[in-house]
Amino acid sequence: MEKLKLPESLLKNMALTSNQCMKHTYRKGGEDVVKPIPMMMVEGKEVCPRCQVEEQTKELEQVENSKFKQLEKLRKYNTLYKESHVSDETILTATFQNYTVDKPKDNTDEKLMASYREQNRNKQLMLDILKDLKEGQVFNVILQGVPGAGKSHLAYATLQELNNHDRDAEPKKTCLFVSVDEMIRLIKDSFNNKESKYTEQYFIDLLSSVDYLVLDDLGAETGSIETIKAATDFVQRVLYGVMNARQGKVTIVTFNLSGEALFAMYDKKVVSRLLRKPRYVTFKDTKDKRKEQLPF
């Protein structure tokens, strides 16, 4: 903080008057004692020099507090971009605008039309969910269904909108996108890499603290999407620690698992917290967009 000094106007043409300012006190014997401060004439106006210094101090503190608040808002805004962990960086460009839903040229193909209708419906569902979240409603969002349908795309697009929506809000809310598989890999790496900050406690603290969290591709960390295999105690502990601390906050989860597989792979306590106050967006008919882009 800058060193306080009297304004230049006070240092020129100063002259003491016979009056005293009686606003200032000091402690003596456990009591407040008034300390009279001689008043001064400055440019034709009678002022208290101590009052002037206190006013300058107050103004300086307000400036510093304003700077701190702006920096804190910027830090929270950047949480999504600096602290997220993704397995596919192309997701970082995902928006609602570039979630394309092309109508099939052959509108007599019922499977293609069902996929088209489902994608449109689910995009609108997520836009409705986004509206409710912007209004302050708190619930979890479950995006479930076939791989490559665009679940991660819609989840990240939602975070982008939320992050920009309350950029100037007080207090600013934080958003985070984490691939479960990438998180577990980084935690396991920290077991042998003592310099890594990505410990189990680091992720539990980070994921627990943010207001809006996406847990992406739940189940991929077990390597058992095609077969039902229970997650390890380690994975269960991490997920339980996160979800238990996120009560009263919004969590968006994407996975390719069936309901049966979800309950078979994870402890009931973990699943019950994931499915607390749920809003579902399911993909049954949508084809894998990544396969459709292949030239053969």
Side-chain angles (χ1 to χ4, degrees), residues 6 10 19-28 31-40 46-57:
L6 289 172
L10 288 179
N19 295 324
Q20 294 178 326
C21 179
M22 308 299 288
K23 297 179 181 179
H24 310 286
T25 62
Y26 65 96
R27 298 291 290 179
K28 183 177 181 181
E31 297 182 352
D32 289 333
V33 179
V34 174
K35 181 179 181 179
I37 304 295
M39 301 288 281
M40 292 181 174
E46 188 177 44
V47 299
C48 168
R50 184 164 175 177
C51 286
Q52 292 290 302
V53 171
E54 289 178 354
E55 182 63 27
Q56 184 186 25
T57 302

Side-chain angles (χ1 to χ4, degrees), residues 12-223:
K12 298 178 180 179
N13 304 317
M14 292 193 307
L16 294 176
T17 72
S18 59
N19 295 324
Q20 294 178 326
C21 179
M22 308 299 288
K23 297 179 181 179
H24 310 286
T25 62
Y26 65 96
R27 298 291 290 179
K28 183 177 181 181
E31 297 182 352
D32 289 333
V33 179
V34 174
K35 181 179 181 179
I37 304 295
M39 301 288 281
M40 292 181 174
M41 292 299 297
V42 179
E43 297 180 349
K45 182 179 179 180
E46 188 177 44
V47 299
C48 168
R50 184 164 175 177
C51 286
Q52 292 290 302
V53 171
E54 289 178 354
E55 182 63 27
Q56 184 186 25
T57 302
K58 183 179 179 181
E59 292 176 357
L60 184 57
E61 288 176 347
Q62 289 175 343
V63 170
E64 294 298 323
N65 286 337
S66 178
K67 289 180 181 178
F68 175 79
K69 288 181 179 180
Q70 290 301 319
L71 288 173
E72 183 65 6
K73 282 185 179 181
L74 183 61
R75 181 191 69 79
K76 289 184 175 182
Y77 176 79
N78 285 329
T79 297
L80 176 61
Y81 309 111
K82 292 187 175 181
E83 303 295 340
S84 291
H85 293 273
V86 300
S87 55
D88 178 6
E89 291 194 356
T90 61
I91 203 67
L92 300 178
T93 62
T95 65
F96 281 104
Q97 289 71 31
N98 60 26
Y99 182 81
T100 56
V101 184
D102 297 322
K103 189 172 184 178
K105 294 180 180 179
D106 182 4
N107 58 16
T108 63
D109 189 321
E110 185 51 38
K111 288 185 177 180
L112 291 178
M113 289 302 297
S115 174
Y116 170 72
R117 289 191 294 268
E118 183 176 73
Q119 290 177 74
N120 272 309
R121 180 176 66 250
N122 287 345
K123 180 179 181 180
Q124 186 57 52
L125 274 175
M126 286 303 293
L127 287 169
D128 293 341
I129 285 170
L130 172 63
K131 178 177 178 293
D132 292 339
L133 292 176
K134 285 181 176 180
E135 292 175 353
Q137 295 187 38
V138 176
F139 50 85
N140 287 346
V141 183
I142 311 299
L143 291 103
Q144 177 188 21
V146 296
K151 301 184 297 298
S152 301
H153 186 123
L154 289 173
Y156 192 85
T158 301
L159 283 189
Q160 287 263 42
E161 292 287 338
L162 289 169
N163 202 42
N164 290 322
H165 169 67
D166 71 342
R167 185 169 185 172
D168 297 320
E170 187 64 49
K172 171 77 176 78
K173 293 185 177 181
T174 47
C175 301
L176 187 71
F177 185 101
V178 172
S179 165
V180 177
D181 185 36
E182 180 70 5
M183 174 180 68
I184 297 301
R185 184 190 68 78
L186 288 170
I187 294 175
K188 288 181 177 179
D189 178 71
S190 74
F191 296 161
N192 298 318
N193 180 6
K194 300 306 179 183
E195 294 184 358
S196 173
K197 72 174 183 178
Y198 299 121
T199 62
E200 178 180 340
Q201 194 59 51
Y202 167 85
F203 274 108
I204 290 177
D205 290 343
L206 176 63
L207 273 61
S208 300
S209 66
V210 296
D211 299 288
Y212 301 108
L213 170 68
V214 168
L215 287 174
D216 186 49
D217 210 5
L218 183 68
E221 80 285 351
T222 67

Side-chain angles (χ1 to χ4, degrees), residues 239-269:
L239 292 176
Y240 180 78
V242 170
M243 294 310 302
N244 195 47
R246 289 195 58 76
Q247 298 183 62
K249 295 183 177 181
V250 175
T251 305
I252 302 172
V253 187
T254 78
F255 53 82
N256 306 321
L257 307 169
S258 65
E260 179 184 0
L262 186 68
F263 278 92
M265 292 173 65
Y266 299 102
D267 185 274
K268 290 182 179 179
K269 291 181 179 179

